Amino acid sequence: QEVYRHLQKEGHRVVGVFTIPDVNGKADPLALAAEKDGTSVFKFPRWRVKGKPIWEVVEAYKSVGADLNVLPFCTQFIPMDVIDSPKHGSIIYHPSILPRHRGASAINWTLIQGDKKAGFTIFWADDGLDTGPILLQRECDVGRNDTVDDLYNHFLFPEGIKAMVEAVQLIADGKAPQIPQPEEGATYEGIQKKENAEISWDKPAEALHNWIRGHDKVPGAWTVIDGQMVTFYGSSLLDGPVPPGQPLAIKGTAKPGLITKNGLVLFGNDGKMLLVRNLQFEDGKMIPASKYFSSDEMSVLELTEEEKKMAEDIKTIWKGILSNVAVIEDSTDFFKSGASSMHVVRMIEEIKQKYSGLQLQNEDVYMATKFADFIQMAVRKLRGEDEEEELVIDYVSKNVNNMTVKMPYQCFINGQFMDAEGGKTYDTINPTDGSIIAKVSYASVADVDKAVAAAKDAFENGEWARMNARERGRLMYRLADLMEEHQEELATIEAIDSGAVYTLALKTHVGMSVQTFRYFAGWCDKIQGSTIPISQARPNHNLTFTKKEPIGVCAIVIPWNYPLMMLAWKSAACLAAGNTLVLKPAQVTPLTALKFAELSAKAGFPKGVINILPGSGGLVGQHMSEHPDIRKLGFTGSTLIGKQIMKSCAVSNLKKVSLELGGKSPLIIFEDCELDKAVRMGMGAVYFNKGENCIAAGRLFVEESIHDEFVRRVVEEIKKMKIGDPLDRATDHGPQNHKAHLEKLLEYCEIGVKEGATLVYGGRQVCRPGFFMEPTVFTDVEDHMYLAKEESFGPVMVISKFKNGDVDGVLKRANSTEYGLASGVFTRDLSKALYVSENLEAGTVFINTYNKTDVAAPFGGFKQSGFGKDLGEEALHEYLRTKAVTVEY
């Protein structure tokens, strides 16, 4: 159906469709689409009988006069006089990189044999078995825990559709190659039967895992436990120490398995582990492996009248599939009555058509094979009483700040914490002493693809897509409450991972994050369009209105200075608008983002809505900016990287972009200011959060008559500041975020001295473990100097004096920068303050204050400080699109 639709869209004329007969009076999706377009549709049950073509079918085929046969689903049963009949012959899709894995179970064998690459081939049909010349091929990496469904849904299906259409266009243009298949490396594997799928245990863990996942769901890899055949589903490789569990004897294994809270742990002959999540017994019943020794039974629900009607409708669907069963009774077993895995898909889809609010998965059928059990399970799901899958979290725990903090360290994808593809990790460092806090998963391109696929599915098909706005707000309020409940733990993690002073982290990093989520939670059900009067074309009347709609999958890339708060500023608006997100925290500060992921799951956010990928900006962030399924990217970081992201977003699919970039915010202090306040606020403008502050005052202009006194008071106050452990409640100034940044700041100061600026105070690393820098003051900074032009992003006060009364002159100097994020002015003269604020080229202007941001006030820059807004109502519009609808009546 998808290939048909895309071929039509590209202008190719489909002259006929040959597909299966209707089942119980229902046409298949391809037939429905073709019939709707008026395309000729033929529904013969077969092409040939006893090897000979059926004349009637062949004649019907020849009547359409095709130039090319397109077979998106490979079959060996079409006669060769049909295959060879068109001018251009026939092309077929096959889900392997031919000549490897010829045959009907190619995807399964790709996994069974541990291939590192999967893919598909579009080839020219001949009289052999998948042996025809190659037209085109595509390949993808195979993840260590990818399943058949993963490969199919994330690559083989969507990319296969595009490739089939591309192949047809190549043929139309006369550019389609015919590359003979090499015999070297060719393999053929038939369909696996159940009796051949028994697990041979004397193998490494990875080989066992490949065997199990390659047979999932059909025919199912099995072994003998306690005298009966047990089939294994849902395998993944398991790293780390052996988890606690109850031993389970398995026939043929050298070492018993372990029933753990997460499933059945198995051991390869190399001592490594794998985890199996579900077990199916000979009678067809499937259970979570973690429940193997459990005998808990659920109580039987009493159905409402509406639920009884649903049960009758489902019974009708079962009857349509199990046509050989006279009466569907409570004890009727779906599989023992003759149903197969194909019938599972059909049954689920038919139920979804009638009851869109009932979200069933194929696995649910295997877990409840008898009709009565299936109805009970369906009703529980409809009522929201079905047991959520337990959130499995491996923590790094630290006893610190008079508490035990528990920190997730893995990628968070589709509602689960998991290792990065390939198991790669990196160290995240405590800037207070340079010690390693944790080894954190280092996400790969494959992890981005998984996260985006999960976010896309959640946006298009999941519970989030159907959730009303008020319910969305309720989830966000609940998340804010959980963040507040965990505020001490979050602030402690922020302190040890980013160097933020604990008291500041508690109030600002965490406190404002909670406020942000509450603010945008309140917006969820207040996003509105408008009605618009338009010119009427008499005698008709028209109504035009606009709708505000979510964009889709959004990528968010945040910096390291306020790890949690920057996450909140962007993701709260994104979620309130109804989008799903994939977020990359800064590589050096991933831990509060991963803790946030845990809290979001506990708040009840559906799987796939929030995905967190720690790792490299050059790898993960770049792939996010290029990904075709991401429709919006929000970034906070340097101007240089922002430009690269904007370019990638444009070239890939014209993503909507918002950028909060570098700054060199001017702060102008006039002689008529309240000097004590100007000194106090001026110091806060520079040294707040160790100077690692987007809107930090990068350059102070102090009027000549008060310049020397201002500098004297600043130095006097600096000497009172306590530099030390950020967890010490008396500390004013903690360590810089990471070693490379400290080194950059020291180099910044060296350049300032070399260029002739006066170093009044500081400029050195503090002599103690960790990444501490003295608060620093430079004066006599002239406009041409490096310090006057470039942002330090650290505790460096850069002071220039200006002539008394020269308001326009200092304004010109303040605006003489490519940045325009923030600015400030201190004066008692309100007219002067307003005049200056009107003429400063910056997204935010502070008058007689500084750093006073609020969740309701829009925040963002001008010029090369970026565009788009965080916070306030305007932030919502960054994550919405406007649709105009005109009705004639």
Side-chain angles (χ1 to χ4, degrees):
Q1 181 194 23
E2 289 294 313
V3 172
Y4 170 83
R5 186 168 61 83
H6 282 80
L7 287 174
Q8 293 278 70
K9 184 179 179 182
E10 293 300 318
H12 301 289
R13 181 167 169 255
V14 181
V15 295
V17 163
F18 284 74
T19 187
I20 61 172
D22 295 353
V23 178
N24 294 319
K26 290 186 178 180
D28 80 331
L30 173 57
L32 286 172
E35 288 167 347
K36 184 179 179 182
D37 292 340
T39 302
S40 297
V41 179
F42 303 86
K43 303 178 182 180
F44 296 104
R46 61 188 60 84
W47 285 94
R48 54 189 180 183
V49 175
K50 296 181 179 179
K52 293 184 178 181
I54 301 171
W55 177 85
E56 178 191 1
V57 181
V58 174
E59 285 300 306
Y61 164 76
K62 289 183 177 179
S63 71
V64 301
D67 289 332
L68 173 70
N69 293 332
V70 179
L71 286 73
F73 181 81
C74 184
T75 175
Q76 304 300 324
F77 299 105
I78 299 177
M80 286 308 298
D81 45 359
V82 171
I83 291 293
D84 293 337
S85 176
K87 176 171 65 174
H88 296 295
S90 303
I91 59 171
I92 299 178
Y93 170 94
H94 183 78
S96 80
I97 306 170
L98 291 175
R100 188 162 173 79
H101 303 311
R102 293 169 177 164
S105 299
I107 313 176
N108 304 75
W109 285 102
T110 297
L111 295 177
I112 291 169
Q113 296 194 356
D115 293 0
K116 299 303 180 187
K117 296 283 185 182
F120 58 81
T121 304
I122 296 173
F123 68 99
W124 301 91
D126 65 4
D127 60 357
L129 194 61
D130 305 330
T131 55
I134 294 168
L135 195 160
L136 63 78
Q137 291 183 316
R138 298 283 186 270
E139 64 177 39
C140 67
D141 294 328
V142 178
R144 69 199 296 250
N145 291 320
D146 276 347
T147 63
V148 171
D149 285 349
D150 289 335
L151 291 176
Y152 185 73
N153 293 330
H154 298 164
F155 184 80
L156 299 175
F157 177 72
E159 295 304 317
I161 292 164
K162 296 175 189 175
M164 286 298 289
V165 177
E166 180 185 345
V168 172
Q169 190 61 53
L170 287 171
I171 294 169
D173 295 340
K175 297 178 181 178
Q178 295 195 23
I179 305 166
Q181 289 192 36
E183 281 308 308
E184 183 181 352
T187 63
Y188 172 82
E189 299 95 3
I191 297 174
Q192 275 289 79
K193 296 181 178 179
K194 190 72 174 183
E195 58 265 28
N196 298 327
E198 184 175 6
I199 301 167
S200 175
W201 291 105
D202 191 19
K203 293 178 181 177
E206 187 172 357
L208 295 174
H209 164 62
N210 289 337
W211 184 262
I212 295 169
R213 66 172 173 158
H215 287 86
D216 192 341
K217 297 277 194 258
V218 178
W222 60 275
T223 190
V224 175
I225 301 176
D226 199 21
Q228 70 166 314
M229 179 191 290
V230 178
T231 305
F232 291 175
Y233 296 108
S235 172
S236 58
L237 292 170
L238 186 62
D239 299 319
V242 177
Q246 190 171 348
L248 177 65
I250 301 173
K251 183 181 177 182
T253 58
K255 186 175 181 179
L258 285 175
I259 297 295
T260 72
K261 67 177 183 178
N262 301 327
L264 170 59
V265 174
L266 302 167
F267 300 88
N269 62 10
D270 56 356
K272 294 183 179 179
M273 298 178 289
L274 60 147
L275 180 73
V276 171
R277 294 199 177 273
N278 297 313
L279 305 175
Q280 187 176 37
F281 300 102
E282 289 179 355
D283 63 0
K285 183 179 181 182
M286 185 183 282
I287 64 166
S290 60
K291 306 292 187 185
Y292 183 84
F293 291 118
S294 172
S295 59
D296 294 343
E297 294 289 340
M298 281 192 177
S299 58
V300 177
L301 300 175
E302 184 175 341
L303 307 190
T304 65
E305 290 304 314
E306 190 174 342
E307 290 163 349
K308 288 176 182 177
K309 181 181 181 302
M310 181 186 75
E312 286 302 314
D313 289 338
I314 293 175
K315 182 177 285 189
T316 302
I317 292 170
W318 277 48
K319 178 60 181 169
I321 296 170
L322 306 176
S323 55
N324 57 315
V325 178
V327 179
I328 304 296
E329 298 177 336
D330 285 352
S331 59
T332 300
D333 188 287
F334 193 68
F335 296 105
K336 287 185 177 181
S337 300
S340 67
S341 58
M342 186 66 77
H343 295 116
V344 170
V345 177
R346 177 182 156 190
M347 189 243 286
I348 293 295
E349 291 305 315
E350 287 195 37
I351 292 174
K352 282 181 180 178
Q353 281 184 340
K354 290 191 74 72
Y355 295 95
S356 59
L358 178 57
Q359 289 304 297
L360 297 172
Q361 307 297 326
N362 293 357
E363 198 168 273
D364 295 326
V365 186
Y366 294 96
M367 292 287 193
T369 61
K370 293 181 180 177
F371 181 73
D373 295 338
F374 185 85
I375 293 300
Q376 290 282 308
M377 175 273 300
V379 170
R380 282 192 168 87
K381 278 186 172 288
L382 198 61
R383 293 181 183 180
E385 297 176 6
D386 56 313
E387 242 182 288
E388 280 292 316
E389 182 181 335
E390 184 181 2
L391 181 64
V392 179
I393 309 174
D394 288 333
Y395 293 109
V396 169
S397 296
K398 298 278 184 185
N399 292 315
V400 61
N401 200 24
N402 298 317
M403 69 180 78
T404 300
V405 293
K406 298 167 72 175
M407 298 169 284
Y409 59 87
Q410 297 167 295
C411 301
F412 185 72
I413 301 173
N414 202 25
Q416 293 182 329
F417 284 101
M418 60 182 69
D419 291 336
E421 191 69 47
K424 190 174 181 181
T425 62
Y426 70 96
D427 295 335
T428 186
I429 304 298
N430 184 340
T432 302
D433 57 12
S435 63
I436 296 171
I437 304 170
K439 289 188 176 296
V440 178
S441 290
Y442 189 84
S444 68
V445 166
D447 294 309
V448 176
D449 291 340
K450 284 182 185 176
V452 173
K456 185 180 181 186
D457 186 58
F459 180 77
E460 294 178 351
N461 306 311
E463 182 185 349
W464 186 254
R466 299 181 305 279
M467 188 178 293
N468 67 55
R470 201 157 292 168
E471 176 65 14
R472 198 161 66 234
R474 189 179 64 81
L475 281 181
M476 292 182 66
Y477 277 123
R478 187 185 301 165
L479 177 55
D481 291 344
L482 281 171
M483 290 168 70
E484 190 169 57
E485 286 175 28
H486 289 261
Q487 61 182 338
E488 289 87 0
E489 186 178 21
L490 287 165
T492 301
I493 296 171
E494 199 91 328
I496 65 174
D497 201 26
S498 76
V501 172
Y502 175 76
T503 50
L504 176 66
L506 198 60
K507 178 180 183 295
T508 302
H509 291 233
V510 180
M512 193 172 188
S513 300
V514 173
Q515 291 174 25
T516 302
F517 268 91
R518 286 187 175 142
Y519 173 80
F520 283 108
W523 266 110
C524 287
D525 60 355
K526 300 170 187 68
I527 298 170
Q528 300 175 354
S530 58
T531 55
I532 303 170
I534 63 170
S535 298
Q536 308 290 347
R538 291 188 176 89
N540 299 316
H541 295 277
N542 298 295
L543 168 66
T544 294
F545 61 92
T546 61
K547 294 176 65 181
K548 296 289 187 180
E549 298 180 342
I551 295 170
V553 180
C554 299
I556 294 174
V557 182
I558 57 173
W560 42 259
N561 57 327
Y562 294 103
L564 185 64
M565 193 171 80
M566 292 295 99
L567 175 154
W569 280 22
K570 284 180 163 48
S571 62
C574 174
L575 294 168
N579 301 286
T580 58
L581 65 87
V582 180
L583 182 141
K584 193 201 85 65
Q587 184 171 343
V588 292
T589 54
L591 296 179
T592 42
L594 294 171
K595 189 69 180 180
F596 167 85
E598 175 194 342
L599 297 179
S600 73
K602 291 180 176 177
F605 275 80
K607 293 179 181 180
V609 174
I610 294 171
N611 304 272
I612 310 289
L613 298 176
S616 159
L619 183 70
V620 174
Q622 182 63 30
H623 190 53
M624 287 162 67
S625 68
E626 295 170 349
H627 203 291
D629 289 332
I630 291 174
R631 293 295 172 185
K632 158 72 201 265
L633 191 147
F635 172 76
T636 296
S638 73
T639 298
L640 181 67
I641 300 301
K643 289 179 178 180
Q644 177 60 43
I645 283 176
M646 190 172 177
K647 181 179 178 181
S648 298
C649 288
V651 170
S652 57
N653 62 344
L654 280 177
K655 292 176 183 63
K656 187 175 183 180
V657 180
S658 55
L659 304 171
E660 195 251 281
L661 306 176
K664 188 67 177 173
S665 301
L667 175 58
I668 303 172
I669 301 174
F670 289 100
E671 64 176 356
D672 60 351
C673 70
E674 187 180 328
L675 190 57
D676 286 342
K677 183 178 182 181
V679 169
R680 185 176 73 255
M681 292 263 180
M683 289 183 67
V686 176
Y687 302 125
F688 188 81
N689 200 46
K690 311 119 41 181
E692 296 167 354
N693 187 18
C694 307
I695 57 172
R699 193 175 180 194
L700 275 68
F701 294 93
V702 181
E703 199 158 4
E704 193 171 30
S705 59
I706 61 168
H707 173 275
D708 293 349
E709 178 63 13
F710 179 87
V711 173
R712 185 190 69 77
R713 292 196 192 186
V714 165
V715 172
E716 190 176 90
E717 292 301 314
I718 288 175
K719 290 176 180 178
K720 299 175 185 176
M721 291 171 66
K722 179 178 178 179
I723 302 172
D725 184 346
L727 294 175
D728 183 341
R729 305 308 192 263
T731 294
D732 299 301
H733 190 79
Q736 304 310 135
N737 187 276
H738 52 281
K739 186 177 180 181
H741 183 55
L742 172 63
E743 292 169 350
K744 179 184 172 185
L745 288 171
L746 296 173
E747 182 184 1
Y748 185 88
C749 293
E750 288 174 10
I751 293 171
V753 172
K754 285 178 183 177
E755 287 192 335
T758 301
L759 177 61
V760 176
Y761 192 89
R764 297 182 300 271
Q765 181 175 357
V766 178
C767 187
R768 59 171 290 161
F771 312 138
F772 292 84
M773 182 178 178
E774 295 175 337
T776 299
V777 179
F778 277 98
T779 60
D780 302 318
V781 178
E782 299 178 16
D783 294 353
H784 69 275
M785 291 181 178
Y786 182 81
L787 269 61
K789 296 178 179 179
E790 296 300 323
E791 180 182 27
S792 72
F793 212 65
V796 182
M797 184 177 284
V798 175
I799 302 175
S800 300
K801 66 174 68 171
F802 66 95
K803 292 180 181 178
N804 293 335
D806 189 10
V807 177
D808 289 325
V810 75
L811 269 172
K812 184 177 180 181
R813 294 172 70 190
N815 287 329
S816 182
T817 171
E818 273 300 298
Y819 301 110
L821 188 57
S823 59
V825 54
F826 278 84
T827 175
R828 286 190 174 96
D829 185 335
L830 184 58
S831 296
K832 185 197 296 182
L834 292 174
Y835 176 79
V836 170
S837 71
E838 285 175 8
N839 287 278
L840 281 170
E841 297 170 0
T844 297
V845 182
F846 298 107
I847 298 177
N848 294 328
T849 187
Y850 209 88
N851 285 327
K852 190 162 283 187
T853 53
D854 187 89
V855 294
F859 179 93
F862 297 165
K863 300 188 284 189
Q864 291 197 44
S865 288
F867 51 83
K869 297 295 182 183
D870 291 325
L871 304 179
E873 182 182 357
E874 286 196 38
L876 281 171
H877 301 300
E878 301 295 332
Y879 296 93
L880 292 165
R881 63 187 184 189
T882 302
K883 178 182 286 183
V885 180
T886 297
V887 183
E888 184 177 281
Y889 61 95

